[in-house]
Every structure is written in structure tokens, then in C-alpha cells.
Amino acid sequence: MIPRLKPSIGKNELIAALSPSSRNHVERFELEFSRLMKQKYAVAFPYGRTGLLILLKAMGIKDKEIICPAYTCVVVPHAVIYSGNRPVFVDCNSKDFNMNLELAGKAITKNTGAIIATSLFGYPVNLDQLDNLRRRYPHIPIIQDCAHSFAAEWHGSPVQKEGIAALFGLNISKIITSIYGGMVTTDDEQLFLKLKQLRNNMLEPANWGKKFKRLTYLLFLYPAFSRLIYITVNHLERMGLLNAFVKYYDDNKIDMPIDYLEQMTDVEARVGYRNTKRYQQIIENRRAAARYYFSHLIDKKSVRLPPKVQGATYSHFVVLVNDSHDRSRWLQEGLRRGIQLGQLIEYSIPEMSAYGGHASKKFPIAAKYSQTSLNLPVWGGENLAEKVCEKIRGI
Ligand SMILES: *Cc1c(COP(=O)(O)O)cnc(C)c1O
């Protein structure tokens, strides 16, 4: 069974996880991460969403409207609400899955507190359009959500540097991982100091129970992604028995994980530090898989290829199929042939009942992506892409 994602966790990460504890391991990881992202500062959090919540507080934003994509990870508006603000959703553009920045401009009011610009699936947000917005509304800060893109580049400019701060997620589905975890990076010293101060005041230190849980989870993960075991894991997942691990949202609820206010553990920091060193190789692998798909799926009439963008980091390789029925058929056919295809992100946030349950007509492009996007695995480079293409040939 070829899994839809596979964290690049190897022996080095395992050894790192099991190494003796030290309190400065989180700082060491922050330093390494800020270097990788070419930013002056990085602050580690237990989840990306906790980072966003504390970032909004550190920026002094309260009772404001935060403009964010209708098509993004639902934990983003959750964090906005937990910060005492209100998300205002904007539909996608029809080119690259990202937010339509013209519509974002129209959504700005005197109550707007910030814009969250997301580079979804590794596609860099259009920085030319974003600069336009910034020139028109210089008082509105821009937060870069790089959880999918890491250091994606728009015409050579890394997206994470084009805002007041950037947000990263580090769970096992992300480009690099610290088991769980998140980072906020910035070049602004005042903001950095405030972020660190707030984090240390608001978060509990990581306790032994949490370290033990993270370690156990890692020891379970490591073998779980071997081919044979993954067949069982996939069955359990489809039966819903792994929901505690893989299901990260509930349509009707706006909530946070119970430990969202407990610091990142040093176990995670050591794994993240190790994993950060693999960054170049991981990105190269993903780009190679994407290149292979671009050149070998070209004749496939039943799928629409995503845009080819220089500087994209391909956290996901997303093709579009006809409709949600067609997608279910793809997923099933994939499983029959030993490949787990993905359907991320399979919702448009304003349509979720927790966010008002708006009709799909209101955010038509987000609705379309939510129903028709299908992901092909990209973690294993060209070799994997070749296998996947072989397996899906007849579908
Ligand atoms: C994963 C992700 C985050 C952060 O998620 P956490 O699970 O809280 O670490 C933020 N934005 C996007 C787009 C994401 O995919």
C-alpha cells in the first residue's frame, strides 16, 4: 500500500527523540528553523494554531475582522476566534487554490485587523497582488500562513518574509515535522520579544506525561508507514478507529486540542531539529515527483492538472476531477490498486455548520475545490510518482 503521506522520519529522528533531555533543545530548534527560513527570529509552539492565536494577541489585535481564505485548514479560523477576533472569509482565485486577493481587498473595512495570506499546497501567494493591497492599506498587517508552503518563492522572493510574521505547522502531514508543533517566524524584534513573553506566560511547561505521549506516538508512527503495516492502518482509518489521531475537526464545533496551551516538548524539538536538516532533500523529492506528474499525466483526460509554478514547494500535488462522486470513485479505485489517494482539503469553511453553513454558491470556487481536489502522493520523489502513474493508468 502506498500511503498518501509519509513523514520523513528515519533513524536519525528516532535517535534524536530518545536522546537525553535538555531545556535548551526548543531554542536550538528555533534557531535552526529561523536560519532555514532566513528570518531573524522563530518561536516554537505546541501547534501552528496556538502560534497564530498568540501572534494575534502579541500584535494587540482584538475584536477585529481577520481576512482569511474560505479554502484553508479549518484550524486557522478556530485560532482567530480563540484570539477574540472574527474571521471574514474570501473565496479562492481560480488559478492556484489561493485566496482571491482582489476580493480580499473588497472585504477590507475599518474593522479589519489583519490579512492572513496563505500559500496553499505549496503554491506561493501572488506577491505582486499582495503588494498592491499593502500599498493601498499600509496600516493592515499581513500574516503569511506558510504551513503548506514553507519557503515557497514568488519570482524569487520567499513568501515567509513578506509580512509582519509567518506561521508554520509541523505535524506529521507537513513538509517538515516535529511530531506535533508549530512555529512563528518574524524579522521584527519587538514582536519577537512580545511573542516569547506571551508564550511563556500563557503556556504551561511541557510535562512528563506529554513527553511520554509524544514519544509513544513517534514509536508507533515509525513502523506504521512501512507498506505491510500501512494496509492495516488504512483499514483502521477507514473504519474510523484512528479518528483520535487523524480526524482534526468536527463540522459543528469550534475547538482546540486539550493540550494547545502546553509548550512544545523537548522530544519534539529534537525531532524537528533533525528533520529541519533534511529540508532541501525533502523539497527536491516533492518537486521531482511533481515534475514527473506534470509530464506523465498530461494525456489523462479525466483529471485537470494543477498549475505549474516556479518556486512552488508542492506540499501536495492536487489534480481536479469532475465532481465529488468521481472523486469517491478515484479513491476507491486507488485503494483497490494499492494506493491511498488523498482528499485534502475536503470542505469550504463557510459551508461548515460551525461557521454558518453558507450555501456553496457564496464561495463557488472554494466549493468546487473542496469537492473535486484529489491528491497524489509526493513524498517519494520521481520513483514513487512513476509507480503511482502506473497504478492509476487504467482509472
Ligand atoms: C496545518 C496547518 C496549519 C497549522 O496547523 P496545526 O495543526 O495547528 O499545527 C495552519 N494553516 C494551514 C493552511 C495548515 O494546513
Side-chain angles (χ1 to χ4, degrees):
M1 173 74 76
I2 299 177
R4 70 191 150 87
L5 61 90
K6 185 169 182 172
S8 37
I9 289 178
K11 286 205 186 63
N12 285 341
E13 280 77 6
L14 272 191
I15 293 168
L18 294 163
S19 306
S21 281
S22 158
R23 277 185 42 208
N24 66 16
H25 284 164
V26 172
E27 275 173 29
R28 185 183 64 159
F29 178 31
E30 290 170 339
L31 201 63
E32 186 68 20
F33 195 86
S34 66
R35 272 198 207 120
L36 180 66
M37 291 304 148
K38 300 189 172 67
Q39 297 236 260
K40 288 204 183 110
Y41 310 103
V43 183
F45 291 92
Y47 295 88
R49 65 199 93 170
T50 310
L52 177 57
L53 159 63
I54 292 183
L55 174 62
L56 288 167
K57 280 194 187 291
M59 290 164 70
I61 299 175
K62 183 125 205 291
D63 293 323
K64 295 282 192 181
E65 295 169 0
I66 309 296
I67 294 180
C68 62
Y71 192 60
T72 184
C73 184
V74 71
V75 307
V76 171
H78 286 3
V80 166
I81 288 174
Y82 268 66
S83 74
N85 293 287
R86 196 165 70 78
V88 171
F89 297 110
V90 171
D91 203 5
C92 307
N93 72 61
S94 50
K95 291 208 183 90
D96 61 10
F97 308 104
N98 288 329
M99 182 161 73
N100 180 328
L101 293 174
E102 256 173 53
L103 292 181
K106 288 184 183 147
I108 290 174
T109 71
K110 63 180 193 321
N111 289 324
T112 303
I115 299 173
I116 299 179
T118 307
S119 296
L120 208 66
F121 303 141
Y123 282 106
V125 64
N126 182 325
L127 291 181
D128 299 331
Q129 288 181 5
L130 199 64
D131 275 345
N132 265 334
L133 263 189
R134 196 166 11 204
R135 269 195 296 274
R136 275 166 56 207
Y137 304 98
H139 57 291
I140 299 180
I142 292 168
I143 297 169
Q144 292 286 350
D145 183 347
C146 299
H148 278 183
S149 53
F150 282 63
E153 293 181 354
W154 175 261
H155 298 309
S157 302
V159 287
Q160 73 273 16
K161 292 184 74 69
E162 299 297 317
I164 178 88
L167 169 71
F168 299 83
L170 294 162
N171 71 44
I172 61 158
S173 74
K174 307 298 187 193
I175 290 177
I176 47 183
T177 184
S178 51
I179 316 180
Y180 284 84
M183 280 282 180
V184 173
T185 61
T186 182
D187 285 326
D188 182 319
E189 188 183 4
Q190 288 311 311
L191 181 61
F192 163 70
L193 294 173
K194 188 85 205 179
L195 267 173
K196 222 167 162 158
Q197 181 203 5
L198 271 182
R199 180 194 64 180
N200 296 346
N201 288 344
M202 285 178 64
L203 304 197
E204 305 268 330
N207 56 33
W208 274 102
K210 180 167 175 177
K211 286 186 204 185
F212 181 74
K213 270 198 288 190
R214 293 297 190 254
L215 199 53
T216 319
Y217 182 55
L218 183 74
L219 294 175
F220 164 80
L221 271 180
Y222 187 61
F225 281 95
S226 82
R227 281 209 178 169
L228 263 178
I229 297 179
Y230 201 75
I231 295 178
T232 320
V233 172
N234 181 250
H235 266 291
L236 294 176
E237 185 177 341
R238 288 204 301 156
M239 286 158 67
L241 294 177
L242 296 182
N243 278 353
F245 294 103
V246 298
K247 179 103 177 153
Y248 63 93
Y249 70 94
D250 178 331
D251 249 7
N252 307 300
K253 262 197 225 144
I254 294 170
D255 60 0
M256 289 283 204
I258 47 167
D259 58 353
Y260 80 104
L261 292 178
E262 289 172 19
Q263 305 248 26
M264 173 185 277
T265 63
D266 62 312
V267 175
E268 290 164 295
R270 285 194 297 277
V271 171
Y273 176 79
R274 268 277 144 215
N275 212 231
T276 301
K277 296 194 179 288
R278 290 180 193 253
Y279 180 76
Q280 298 308 339
Q281 176 216 328
I282 292 172
I283 293 295
E284 200 28 64
N285 248 348
R286 285 166 187 268
R287 286 184 169 149
R291 276 197 300 273
Y292 191 92
Y293 287 136
F294 278 125
S295 55
H296 288 80
L297 290 176
I298 207 94
D299 302 330
K300 206 146 178 61
K301 299 248 166 17
S302 49
V303 300
R304 216 176 89 207
L305 287 174
K308 217 179 203 170
V309 174
Q310 186 93 40
T313 48
Y314 300 102
S315 65
H316 304 80
F317 190 86
V318 183
V319 297
L320 297 177
V321 297
N322 291 326
D323 51 31
S324 59
H325 179 72
D326 196 26
R327 182 169 66 187
S328 311
R329 192 181 59 86
W330 269 90
L331 293 172
Q332 268 175 12
E333 278 294 317
L335 285 179
R336 223 165 52 80
R337 293 154 194 248
I339 156 176
Q340 187 191 37
L341 300 166
Q343 47 171 346
L344 190 91
I345 298 163
E346 75 285 23
Y347 48 77
S348 160
I349 299 170
E351 285 181 47
M352 298 172 106
S353 54
Y355 285 97
H358 295 287
S360 61
K361 288 198 292 283
K362 279 197 157 169
F363 298 87
I365 302 175
K368 181 147 190 295
Y369 288 150
S370 72
Q371 289 159 17
T372 62
S373 58
L374 180 78
N375 327 343
L376 309 183
V378 281
W379 48 266
E382 191 173 318
N383 284 345
L384 173 80
E386 191 180 347
K387 271 189 208 132
V388 170
C389 284
E390 240 165 62
K391 283 183 190 286
I392 65 174
R393 187 165 295 144
I395 306 186

